[in-house]
Amino acid sequence: MSENLNPCVSCGACCAYFRVSFYWAESEDGGGMVPSSLTEPVTPFLSCMQGTNCKTPRCIALEGEIGQSVSCSIYLNRPSPCREFDMSGEHGIHSETCDRARAHYGLPALPVNFAIDKSVSDIMTVGCNRAPEQGTIAT
Ligand code: SF4
């Protein structure tokens, strides 16, 4: 096999390391798509995914075992930080935030140049590979 499965399907570190916060109107209550029942308020203008605003974060929507096999239960309706987060190596660019989350779980940084089986990566998984940034995976 010359191509690899998307590494996000066996990672999930970014969904259990950062606070995943976003403008509150991304949730259903504000007319958006993120299930409101899975969010909580951070400020009058910010919401976050439940489970991510604490010392040992893990998004309530993350299913599976980190570093083994994971998926996002609301993948099609996940918030913008998850959609915008680039895993390390995507577009040939290193992601310090991806590396940091992976390192927290004892996972090595992803190589910058690797090929992904697009038939798999388009089906998808977790937030990585199109989601967050900074100390929060978020806004
Ligand atoms: S991709 Fe899904 S599981 Fe990961 S942080 Fe976002 S909503 Fe949570």
Side-chain angles (χ1 to χ4, degrees):
M1 181 187 297
S2 61
E3 293 185 306
N4 301 316
L5 296 181
N6 188 308
C8 296
V9 301
S10 59
C11 181
C14 65
C15 306
Y17 185 70
F18 302 103
R19 188 182 78 195
V20 183
S21 55
F22 44 89
Y23 184 54
W24 74 274
E26 287 190 38
S27 60
E28 290 170 332
D29 287 348
M33 298 191 310
V34 182
S36 298
S37 61
L38 303 182
T39 70
E40 62 184 47
V42 177
T43 72
F45 303 104
L46 281 182
S47 294
C48 72
M49 293 303 298
Q50 284 181 21
T52 67
N53 193 17
C54 57
K55 283 188 174 177
T56 55
R58 179 182 170 117
C59 179
I60 191 172
L62 180 65
E63 296 182 338
E65 188 177 343
I66 294 166
Q68 298 294 318
S69 177
V70 292
S71 62
C72 172
S73 65
I74 58 164
Y75 187 72
L76 294 178
N77 297 323
R78 68 202 189 286
S80 58
C82 310
R83 296 173 182 276
E84 294 159 9
F85 189 80
D86 286 336
M87 65 181 158
S88 218
E90 196 165 29
H91 314 302
I93 298 171
H94 219 78
S95 166
E96 183 275 329
T97 48
C98 172
D99 293 351
R100 185 152 42 99
R102 286 177 60 84
H104 180 75
Y105 289 97
L107 300 170
L110 295 172
V112 170
N113 294 311
F114 62 90
I116 294 177
D117 182 341
K118 288 299 287 180
S119 66
V120 173
S121 65
D122 287 346
I123 296 172
M124 276 297 86
T125 55
V126 286
C128 319
N129 145 352
R130 313 179 219 285
E133 56 154 39
Q134 61 169 36
T136 64
I137 178 186
T139 334

